[in-house]
Amino acid sequence: MSGQDLVSDQGLRVDGRRANELRQIRVRMGVFGQSDGSAYLEQGNTKVLAAVYGPHQPRGGGRGGNRSGTGIINCQYSMAVFSFSAGERKKRPRGDRKTQETSLQLRRAIEAIVQVELYPRSQIDVFVEVLQSDGSDYCAAVNAATLALIDAGIPIKDYSVGCTATIASMGASEEVDSKDETGSGTGIVDANHMEECTGATTLTVVALPGAPGSNYESDTDNSGLVVVAQGTGARLHLSRLEGLRQRALQGCRDTRVILDQAVRFHLTTHDPHFI
Amino acid sequence: MANTLLSLAEKTFIVHGVDDNYRTDGRNRSEYRPMEVETKVLPHTSGSARLRLANTDILVGVKAEVDTPYPDNPNEGKLEFFVDCSANATPAFEGKGGDNLGTEISNTLTLAYQSSHVLDLTTLCILPQQKCWKLYVDVLILQCDGNLFDAVALAVKAALYSAQIPKVTTATLDGGKADIQLSDDPFDCVKLDVGSFPVLVTLCKNFTFIQIGENCVVDPTSEEEECSAASIVVAVMPNGRITSVVKTGYGSLQPSTLVKTLELAKDIGIKLNAGIMNALKEEDELGSQREIFGFLK
């Protein structure tokens, strides 16, 4: 397996996963007593805490509050200074360009699912803290934030689920005949830090995968609305995009099933009246 | 913490309870709330601990880095504290909202650990004037329910107890340039001697209505903190020595009360130190194969 390849000849990745295999997801909801909703989520070694406060009256009277007919979503994404796995230490937990941009992206992902029209003149705070970062941090943050919103009892339209698909930079710039692609897509799903660092091209997708329904079995069709899509790394040939998107969406659907199970488990163990 | 709103009647109730040595949660004045501590929760750091004191939740990560010593202390390593108040604790900490509190706590910790009786920084030196260890102690406050100082100091002590610094196998000066090599075996590590590390004891004084009262309260809840005008944060070493005294809040104290308070803080500090060391030893006895719960419990 050369340095450029993400998948070995045997079809295995550096951590022994298959190309379309997610890392182990472990979830706990309601970790904090004081916030209105909270969740802790592990995707492999990426560990994230999310807390939700609200809906409440907007703070910062100087800005005139929120006079609009819909609620506002306020997000903050911050990374603990000891979160990097690779030994070095982060200078500041938040306020730098990268975390500010991620905060904004997180807001987009949350705004897509919260029914803001139910909360005029109000504000909902979503705070995410990355405790350990090992690739796909933003996706873990979105997933944890969704669970925290559910824990807070805020009505949502669907799960907002993030997933990445990564393709080695060697193949990314070559044209493929798009008719060859049959549904399952290309690239590897849910990359860890080591795979992200190989100079590969990563497509990050936040989607609303929809409940597993009639069209779920035939996942070749394009069910699932994409809310946030972001590419990083080297350039990507346009013909590769469709395959990568399909792979990421499949990852989102798989993640949704796991998150949904976790929510149902949480509700049944904590609420005896739940059937 | 920042959003504890109390009416006058509630404050009176709390203060009268303190006067009768029977607080709102049933404790007496010198009793701590139950706490939980777990070390090595962050496998990618040199040492880490998570401490929960009622709803106060603290996560500490220690990272060791090779650095150059300060020119005026060429034989000493470095120890740096950083306290980050996460917005997860309260929305008031969003953005730069928690910076003041974070700086206050990290300054208090720095003061407490400054004495050479506590941590001999020369043990962290690798090659004088050339190389030394720099320990970054990063505290993350995830939730606050009063008594942050004590909880942070206990968590820091636990994290430093679990910290493992790689062993230096060779350290030579080659033509004025330092050349050091660390042990290849990740289990070949040096542990810090936490035997003299202090804990902080906060004593809440001067309850708003009782101007002359001498009652002080240990381990205040956030409601009790709201009623108090001044508190004293005392750093107590396991042998009862006091390394630093910091007064927080706007109230003032009589010198005679201060002396009595320090006596009380000393007694409590000794017990607290013994308690945390017992808990850490007990955890050690579970061996390296123990399951790490972290936030999943």
Side-chain angles (χ1 to χ4, degrees), chain B residues 59-158:
Chain B
L59 185 67
V60 181
V62 178
K63 282 205 167 182
E65 252 177 42
V66 177
D67 203 16
T68 39
Y70 295 115
D72 39 351
N73 297 321
N75 295 320
E76 290 183 0
K78 298 174 183 174
L79 180 69
E80 196 179 285
F81 292 99
F82 176 77
V83 180
D84 177 24
C85 301
S86 164
N88 284 21
T90 150
F93 289 159
E94 199 194 340
K96 292 187 187 305
D99 282 10
N100 283 340
L101 182 67
T103 319
E104 191 182 354
I105 298 176
S106 62
N107 285 347
T108 314
L109 279 174
T110 312
L111 266 181
Y113 277 82
Q114 218 162 35
S115 161
S116 60
H117 294 290
V118 171
L119 171 61
D120 190 9
L121 284 174
T122 51
T123 53
L124 293 177
C125 184
I126 303 167
L127 268 178
Q129 293 174 330
Q130 300 285 341
K131 296 279 177 208
C132 70
W133 285 110
K134 181 168 190 178
L135 290 186
Y136 289 101
V137 182
D138 297 308
V139 182
L140 188 61
I141 296 171
L142 294 168
Q143 209 175 196
C144 32
D145 187 22
N147 205 11
L148 276 180
F149 285 89
D150 298 20
V152 166
L154 284 169
V156 164
K157 188 165 173 168

Side-chain angles (χ1 to χ4, degrees), chain A residues 72-124:
Chain A
I72 42 176
I73 309 281
N74 173 39
C75 285
Q76 182 181 277
Y77 173 87
S78 89
M79 294 177 86
V81 284
F82 47 73
S83 61
F84 290 156
S85 295
E88 81 269 40
R89 178 178 171 273
K90 205 169 183 291
K91 283 276 180 301
R92 284 193 300 171
R94 64 189 82 87
D96 54 309
R97 225 168 247 267
K98 198 181 156 205
T99 52
Q100 272 178 339
E101 195 196 331
T102 315
S103 298
L104 197 71
Q105 302 272 29
L106 187 63
R107 206 178 92 199
R108 300 263 175 281
I110 301 302
E111 273 173 345
I113 53 164
V114 175
Q115 303 190 320
V116 280
E117 62 281 358
L118 294 178
Y119 301 108
R121 295 162 189 270
S122 321
Q123 175 180 342
I124 296 169

